[in-house]
Amino acid sequence: QVQLVESGGGLVQAGGSLRLSCAASGRTFSGSVMGWFRQAPGKEREFVARISWSGSSTYYADSIKGRFTISRDNAENTVYLQMNSLKPEDTAVYYCNAVLAGNVPLFDSWGQGTQVTVSS
């Protein structure tokens, strides 16, 4: 059973920072490439960032490159997203999932997500 629990979202002014966390069940997390996705109002869910199992390899969407950093703690089955220099267009619900080639989410089942709202 897939268990993904996102947290850490909130309301922040443009230029501010937030750190998101995703706690995953061991079966979901172990050995998996993990990533973050987001869905803005009226838009399709989109890929944001991914990180390899070892943490040595990361990849980011162009829209957030240089501002967001993904990391993971395998001992805690947790993946993080540090978001700096936030912009109003970063407003979305953020989700985590395991990631396949092509930055496609592995699981059809998603957590509840965490809302990030950036005011101008």
Side-chain angles (χ1 to χ4, degrees):
Q1 183 176 356
V2 176
Q3 291 184 321
L4 300 162
V5 181
E6 300 90 350
S7 62
L11 173 63
V12 63
Q13 289 187 333
S17 298
L18 285 172
R19 189 193 194 206
L20 307 184
S21 299
C22 169
S25 62
R27 186 174 180 180
T28 302
F29 196 85
S30 181
S32 297
V33 174
M34 294 296 296
W36 286 92
F37 299 79
R38 67 184 183 185
Q39 187 167 20
K43 295 187 177 182
E44 296 289 320
R45 186 148 33 200
E46 64 176 0
F47 167 81
V48 174
R50 72 168 191 257
I51 186 167
S52 62
W53 165 245
S54 69
S56 62
S57 176
T58 58
Y59 182 82
Y60 299 93
D62 288 342
S63 60
I64 59 89
K65 199 173 295 182
R67 299 188 295 121
F68 292 8
T69 302
I70 188 170
S71 61
R72 67 191 294 164
D73 183 338
N74 290 343
E76 297 294 329
N77 290 348
T78 302
V79 61
Y80 303 97
L81 187 67
Q82 177 66 44
M83 306 187 296
N84 299 328
S85 302
L86 282 161
K87 303 176 180 180
E89 51 263 44
D90 295 318
T91 295
V93 180
Y94 284 71
Y95 303 88
C96 67
N97 205 320
V99 180
L100 298 173
N103 299 325
V104 174
L106 173 60
F107 300 112
D108 292 333
S109 176
W110 296 85
Q112 84 288 349
T114 186
Q115 175 72 49
V116 172
T117 304
V118 184
S119 63
S120 58

